[in-house]
Amino acid sequence: MRIINNIICVIKLYTVLAMIWGVFYRELTKINDYTSLTTLSVVHAHYFVFGTMFFLLLGVVSVCSLLN
């Protein structure tokens, strides 16, 4: 169960980091009137998809393997 708790903490961390990057990206581009694609938008998406979703799937696999 300790592994699952660690995975849940990592999921929360990546979700919060993705939200922070999203807000930072939106506000920074709004302040500077910047409309082109930036690296910050990619960082936001990658943190959210690869961080949160990967560890969420890892948590589901861990729970399923512990039940067997």
Side-chain angles (χ1 to χ4, degrees):
M1 284 309 233
R2 192 172 191 310
I3 293 172
I4 295 171
N5 288 337
N6 288 344
I7 291 173
I8 290 172
C9 288
V10 171
I11 291 170
K12 290 177 185 178
L13 174 70
Y14 272 104
T15 303
V16 168
L17 286 175
M19 289 181 189
I20 288 171
W21 276 113
V23 170
F24 179 71
Y25 160 70
R26 185 188 66 211
E27 294 301 319
L28 185 69
T29 54
K30 190 188 309 180
I31 288 170
N32 293 325
D33 255 352
Y34 196 77
T35 56
S36 298
L37 186 64
T38 66
T39 307
L40 290 176
S41 64
V42 177
V43 169
H44 165 67
H46 278 80
Y47 263 72
F48 202 67
V49 172
F50 293 131
T52 304
M53 297 303 168
F54 172 75
F55 283 106
L56 190 61
L57 288 173
L58 184 65
V60 169
V61 169
S62 296
V63 168
C64 289
S65 68
L66 286 176
L67 293 177
N68 288 333

